[in-house]
Every structure is written in C-alpha cells, then in structure tokens.
Amino acid sequence: MNIENENNKESYILKETKEALKNVKEENPLTYCITNSVTVNDCANAVLAIGGSPIMAYNEEEVEEIINISKSLVINIGNPSKDEIKSMKKACYYANKRNIPIIFDPVGVGISKLRNDLSLNFIQNYELSIIRGNMSEIKAIAKLVNLDSIKLDSSKLKNQEGKQKGVDVNIADIITKENLSENGFLVKELAKKLNTIIVASGPIDLISDGKIIIAIKNGNEMMPKITGSGCMLSTIIGTYNGANNPLISAITASLHITIAGEKASQYKKSPSELGLGTFHQYLIDHLYLLKETDIIKNARISIIE
C-alpha cells in the first residue's frame, strides 16, 4: 500500500477506511484470539461489535484446526501461562505457514525477563503483520532488538529505553504534541527494522510501516482508565486485518475505537455524571453503532514528515 505516493494522503486514507469498514461487515472475518484472560470478554465483544467473529481458544490440541478456518490471529501476552505460551507458538507457526496475519500485543514487555524473552521469541521466529503496544512497550521492544541509536540521531530521541510502570505506559512515555516527532521517528525506524506495522497507542496514536508516520489525535481521557482498552484495540486491529491490508487495518481500527470513545464520553444525561462503568458500556455500544460517515466527519489524522 503506497500511501506515501499519494498527493493528498489524509484524504486517501479516509477513503480507504470506508472500504475497510465495509469489508469487515461483509466478510465477518473469524478472528482467532489467544489473549489476556483479564480482558477476554471485552475483546470478544469488541470483535462482535465491529462486525467480526471472535474465537477464544487456548487448548494446544485444537490450534491447527482453528487456524485453518481463521482470517487472522491475535496474540496477547498480558497473562501468559505455560500452556498458553505453547498454544501461542503453535498458532503462530501454523498462521505463518498458511499466510494468516498475526497481530502481536506485547503487554508489559520490559517489566520481566519472561515477557522480554517471550516478545523477542515471537519477533525473531515468526512473521508478524502488526505489533501494537503503548509507547513504553514500543521503546522496550526497540531496546530488545538493539535498534541502533546512532542511526536514530540522539537529538530526535531523548528517551529510547522508556521506564515501565506495570502494564501501563510510564508517564514520561505518554505521546504528546511536544514529543510527537521523536516518538514518531522511533516508531518508523522500528517498523523499518522489523519489517512490520508498528502501532503505538496513547492520547495520540502513532502508526508506521517504516515509510510514513501517521498520527491519530482522536480519543478520550477515560479510555486508559478502563481495563482492556488496549487489548480491545489489538483485537479490533486483528479483525480488520482479517479483511484488509495491515496498514489500513491499523489506521481504521485506531480511528474506530478512539472515535467510539469520544462518542461514549458524550453521556446523554451529563458528562459530569459519567463513570467508568457507564463509559465502558457505552464504548462497546458505539463500537457497534459507528458508521463510515462518523469516521470521515470526526477523524483527526495527520502525516508526520
């Protein structure tokens, strides 16, 4: 997908998102998720809400059969057991063998040797279509793969390593207008090095295929306060990638959930009465209700040069 060759890149992207939404609803892609047990119900509901079909299966004995009928595979290491890790690796092996896209969510990479080793194993041994994490996780992966800081230019990268805060982004790594350029540069270089799509989600989402950097400035401050918003994004990306190319899938998924979050925050009684439980419920509602015209009207997307 050669977005960088288009004269009006933003308009071209929005045109492609319309097709992406249509493709998912028409194809109802089966999205195989070996995901975080903490958020598995949210992830399944998110896939259903946008028009996909989720399957959450963890038993190693049925992995190959499920891969054979799936359109995409989402791997999330949020709460991995030994048995789940075996199933994840087996699923990735068969997904690559059958050219089924893999979306990898390296939850908490950087906080433990287990998560570091596991993330590096997936990156080195399997072809990953998309990697989605918060900015601390993306920086941790950059460190794991020895992204050359000399090539990155230290003037553009003040904090390559990042500092972990459990599975949440460290406050110093939150993507803002002030650090947008340096973080975008890192995302682009990592995408280039790993030959994959990198999605760094946050108040501003950064997406790159190693050629261009796309910033999405939609969303609501309540989104990171509910458990599973990042996990849901990864499964939504997976659903889109089951019916579309990886770059437009990442962009459309990010727009879909962030605009749904904005609409969820517009509580029908009063925004001041909106709590996290109600917001969570409304987020699922608006994932389902969102239309192509909502994305075109509300998208705040830009290309970082």
Side-chain angles (χ1 to χ4, degrees), residues 5 50 74 80 105 128 134 140 184 236 239 241 244 272-273 280:
N5 295 331
I50 70 166
V74 179
D105 188 337
L128 306 177
N134 63 44
I236 292 170
T239 304
N241 202 182
N244 301 280
S272 64
E273 298 177 30
H280 179 274

mmCIF file of all heavy atoms in Angstrom, residues 5 50 74 80 105 128 134 140 184 236 239 241 244 272-273 280:
data_model
loop_
_atom_site.group_PDB
_atom_site.id
_atom_site.type_symbol
_atom_site.label_atom_id
_atom_site.label_comp_id
_atom_site.label_asym_id
_atom_site.label_seq_id
_atom_site.Cartn_x
_atom_site.Cartn_y
_atom_site.Cartn_z
ATOM 1 N N ASN A 5 2.944 7.778 -1.826
ATOM 2 C CA ASN A 5 2.934 8.262 -3.208
ATOM 3 C C ASN A 5 1.702 9.109 -3.539
ATOM 4 O O ASN A 5 1.616 9.676 -4.632
ATOM 5 C CB ASN A 5 3.007 7.083 -4.179
ATOM 6 C CG ASN A 5 4.322 6.334 -4.076
ATOM 7 O OD1 ASN A 5 5.341 6.926 -3.730
ATOM 8 N ND2 ASN A 5 4.306 5.046 -4.369
ATOM 9 N N ILE A 50 -17.818 -4.698 15.947
ATOM 10 C CA ILE A 50 -17.407 -4.064 14.690
ATOM 11 C C ILE A 50 -17.732 -4.913 13.469
ATOM 12 O O ILE A 50 -17.472 -4.495 12.333
ATOM 13 C CB ILE A 50 -15.910 -3.700 14.696
ATOM 14 C CG1 ILE A 50 -15.033 -4.951 14.647
ATOM 15 C CG2 ILE A 50 -15.571 -2.828 15.890
ATOM 16 C CD1 ILE A 50 -13.591 -4.671 14.325
ATOM 17 N N VAL A 74 -4.632 -13.074 16.805
ATOM 18 C CA VAL A 74 -4.201 -12.047 17.751
ATOM 19 C C VAL A 74 -3.542 -12.735 18.944
ATOM 20 O O VAL A 74 -4.158 -13.575 19.599
ATOM 21 C CB VAL A 74 -5.383 -11.185 18.231
ATOM 22 C CG1 VAL A 74 -4.903 -10.133 19.242
ATOM 23 C CG2 VAL A 74 -6.083 -10.510 17.051
ATOM 24 N N PRO A 80 0.230 -14.654 30.556
ATOM 25 C CA PRO A 80 0.540 -15.935 29.893
ATOM 26 C C PRO A 80 0.858 -17.070 30.861
ATOM 27 O O PRO A 80 1.649 -16.922 31.780
ATOM 28 C CB PRO A 80 1.777 -15.588 29.061
ATOM 29 C CG PRO A 80 2.471 -14.531 29.862
ATOM 30 C CD PRO A 80 1.384 -13.744 30.540
ATOM 31 N N ASP A 105 0.510 -8.316 20.606
ATOM 32 C CA ASP A 105 0.361 -7.309 21.655
ATOM 33 C C ASP A 105 1.298 -7.684 22.807
ATOM 34 O O ASP A 105 0.979 -8.567 23.606
ATOM 35 C CB ASP A 105 -1.097 -7.276 22.132
ATOM 36 C CG ASP A 105 -1.386 -6.123 23.076
ATOM 37 O OD1 ASP A 105 -0.435 -5.614 23.699
ATOM 38 O OD2 ASP A 105 -2.562 -5.731 23.194
ATOM 39 N N LEU A 128 5.335 -11.248 11.806
ATOM 40 C CA LEU A 128 4.238 -10.537 12.453
ATOM 41 C C LEU A 128 3.710 -9.446 11.536
ATOM 42 O O LEU A 128 4.473 -8.628 11.011
ATOM 43 C CB LEU A 128 4.699 -9.927 13.783
ATOM 44 C CG LEU A 128 5.343 -10.916 14.776
ATOM 45 C CD1 LEU A 128 5.831 -10.168 16.018
ATOM 46 C CD2 LEU A 128 4.368 -12.019 15.161
ATOM 47 N N ASN A 134 1.657 0.188 23.974
ATOM 48 C CA ASN A 134 1.799 1.588 24.380
ATOM 49 C C ASN A 134 3.244 2.014 24.142
ATOM 50 O O ASN A 134 4.098 1.196 23.792
ATOM 51 C CB ASN A 134 1.344 1.808 25.831
ATOM 52 C CG ASN A 134 2.178 1.042 26.850
ATOM 53 O OD1 ASN A 134 3.406 1.013 26.776
ATOM 54 N ND2 ASN A 134 1.503 0.413 27.812
ATOM 55 N N ALA A 140 10.546 -0.507 24.804
ATOM 56 C CA ALA A 140 11.168 -1.720 25.343
ATOM 57 C C ALA A 140 11.546 -2.677 24.222
ATOM 58 O O ALA A 140 12.614 -3.300 24.246
ATOM 59 C CB ALA A 140 10.226 -2.393 26.336
ATOM 60 N N GLY A 184 7.443 9.482 16.946
ATOM 61 C CA GLY A 184 7.094 9.048 15.595
ATOM 62 C C GLY A 184 8.300 8.511 14.853
ATOM 63 O O GLY A 184 8.208 7.509 14.133
ATOM 64 N N ILE A 236 -9.411 -5.520 17.636
ATOM 65 C CA ILE A 236 -10.076 -4.794 16.543
ATOM 66 C C ILE A 236 -9.137 -4.692 15.341
ATOM 67 O O ILE A 236 -9.553 -4.880 14.193
ATOM 68 C CB ILE A 236 -10.549 -3.406 17.022
ATOM 69 C CG1 ILE A 236 -11.691 -3.555 18.032
ATOM 70 C CG2 ILE A 236 -10.997 -2.539 15.848
ATOM 71 C CD1 ILE A 236 -12.068 -2.270 18.746
ATOM 72 N N THR A 239 -9.206 -8.000 13.645
ATOM 73 C CA THR A 239 -10.425 -8.206 12.854
ATOM 74 C C THR A 239 -10.334 -7.478 11.521
ATOM 75 O O THR A 239 -10.667 -8.036 10.465
ATOM 76 C CB THR A 239 -11.653 -7.732 13.640
ATOM 77 O OG1 THR A 239 -11.692 -8.408 14.898
ATOM 78 C CG2 THR A 239 -12.942 -8.023 12.875
ATOM 79 N N ASN A 241 -7.585 -6.671 9.997
ATOM 80 C CA ASN A 241 -6.537 -7.289 9.193
ATOM 81 C C ASN A 241 -6.980 -8.624 8.599
ATOM 82 O O ASN A 241 -6.348 -9.149 7.689
ATOM 83 C CB ASN A 241 -5.276 -7.470 10.032
ATOM 84 C CG ASN A 241 -3.999 -7.591 9.216
ATOM 85 O OD1 ASN A 241 -2.924 -7.769 9.773
ATOM 86 N ND2 ASN A 241 -4.079 -7.505 7.898
ATOM 87 N N ASN A 244 -8.522 -6.857 5.368
ATOM 88 C CA ASN A 244 -7.875 -5.711 4.718
ATOM 89 C C ASN A 244 -6.357 -5.817 4.874
ATOM 90 O O ASN A 244 -5.855 -6.641 5.632
ATOM 91 C CB ASN A 244 -8.348 -4.403 5.367
ATOM 92 C CG ASN A 244 -9.840 -4.200 5.278
ATOM 93 O OD1 ASN A 244 -10.371 -3.782 4.262
ATOM 94 N ND2 ASN A 244 -10.545 -4.511 6.364
ATOM 95 N N SER A 272 -20.625 15.027 33.451
ATOM 96 C CA SER A 272 -20.136 15.030 34.832
ATOM 97 C C SER A 272 -20.650 13.827 35.618
ATOM 98 O O SER A 272 -20.112 13.479 36.665
ATOM 99 C CB SER A 272 -20.552 16.318 35.543
ATOM 100 O OG SER A 272 -21.967 16.405 35.647
ATOM 101 N N GLU A 273 -21.708 13.180 35.123
ATOM 102 C CA GLU A 273 -22.266 12.005 35.793
ATOM 103 C C GLU A 273 -21.716 10.695 35.223
ATOM 104 O O GLU A 273 -22.071 9.614 35.686
ATOM 105 C CB GLU A 273 -23.794 11.995 35.643
ATOM 106 C CG GLU A 273 -24.496 13.184 36.283
ATOM 107 C CD GLU A 273 -25.991 13.156 36.036
ATOM 108 O OE1 GLU A 273 -26.564 12.058 35.910
ATOM 109 O OE2 GLU A 273 -26.598 14.233 35.953
ATOM 110 N N HIS A 280 -17.540 2.345 29.906
ATOM 111 C CA HIS A 280 -17.188 1.046 29.345
ATOM 112 C C HIS A 280 -18.337 0.474 28.526
ATOM 113 O O HIS A 280 -18.155 -0.013 27.405
ATOM 114 C CB HIS A 280 -16.807 0.098 30.485
ATOM 115 C CG HIS A 280 -16.443 -1.282 30.037
ATOM 116 N ND1 HIS A 280 -17.375 -2.274 29.837
ATOM 117 C CD2 HIS A 280 -15.234 -1.827 29.742
ATOM 118 C CE1 HIS A 280 -16.760 -3.375 29.446
ATOM 119 N NE2 HIS A 280 -15.473 -3.140 29.380
#
